[in-house]
Amino acid sequence: MLPWVVRRTRLPLLSLRCVDCPSESATTGAGRFRVNANGKLLHVWLLVRCVSCDRTSKLAVHERVPVRAIDPATLDGYHDNDQELVASRLLDPLIARRNRFSLDWTGAWELHTPQARLDERWPVRVEVGFDDPVPVRPERLIAQGLGFSRNEVLRRIKCDVPPRRTRSAGFTFTVMAVD
Ligand SMILES: [Zn+2]
């Protein structure tokens, strides 16, 4: 079994309409949170800015939650703009849905494949793992990883998931020998 890994190289951009200009793209930049305590209630936002006009928008991470409901280490992380926390909140599908943005992964990820001679023993099984939830089409990923044309993928690959349906979770496939 050959392991392949899909991994981000940076944080993705956000597809988010700017209220000030026609741009529909925003970035977390260096990654900053804003924390506001109102009595015993806490608001936490992730700050993003328009890539075109720099306008800052606030994405709600927590709204009016009791201070005690948030783990103290996590709260420290919000205050310190912890980069892992920025990534995990940006990639959280619930936060994306609530704030009505989607992620633009263009150019923000790469495929790691081990150096291995593929033609030694057939068939070859490949297991694709995802370190980050990058949406990919298996068919395209396989073509990229093997340097195959789409026709070769159709002819020589047996994929255990629908090859044209975008996914961001692990799967396996088998490369058959040339017949
Ligand atoms: Zn803008």
Side-chain angles (χ1 to χ4, degrees), residues 89-166:
R89 295 310 179 256
L90 178 67
L91 304 186
D92 183 336
L94 285 177
I95 291 176
R97 201 176 312 150
R98 200 191 305 150
N99 291 280
R100 295 194 177 82
F101 68 85
S102 56
L103 295 171
D104 174 7
W105 282 98
T106 311
W109 63 279
E110 59 192 10
L111 173 67
H112 292 259
T113 59
Q115 299 290 328
R117 284 175 58 88
L118 262 182
D119 49 355
E120 277 175 356
R121 235 186 304 149
W122 302 101
V124 178
R125 292 278 292 163
V126 179
E127 180 173 35
V128 185
F130 287 70
D131 281 0
D132 297 284
V134 183
V136 296
R137 268 197 209 184
E139 183 183 76
R140 279 202 203 161
L141 190 79
I142 293 166
Q144 179 191 332
L146 296 174
F148 277 15
S149 69
R150 218 176 124 211
N151 270 340
E152 279 177 294
V153 172
L154 291 176
R155 262 201 339 266
R156 296 185 52 194
I157 301 300
K158 283 189 179 153
C159 193
D160 67 352
V161 296
R164 290 183 187 174
R165 194 175 302 160
T166 302

Side-chain angles (χ1 to χ4, degrees), residues 18 20-21 23 50 52-55:
C18 180
D20 274 359
C21 83
S23 166
C50 171
S52 174
C53 74
D54 260 0
R55 185 188 202 281

Side-chain angles (χ1 to χ4, degrees), residues 7 9 15 21 37-38 47 58 61 74 84 90 94 102 109 112 133 147 156 160 162 170:
R7 192 176 294 156
T9 50
S15 298
C21 83
N38 188 348
L47 303 183
K58 295 190 297 184
V61 176
T74 305
E84 283 305 307
L90 178 67
L94 285 177
S102 56
W109 63 279
H112 292 259
R156 296 185 52 194
D160 67 352

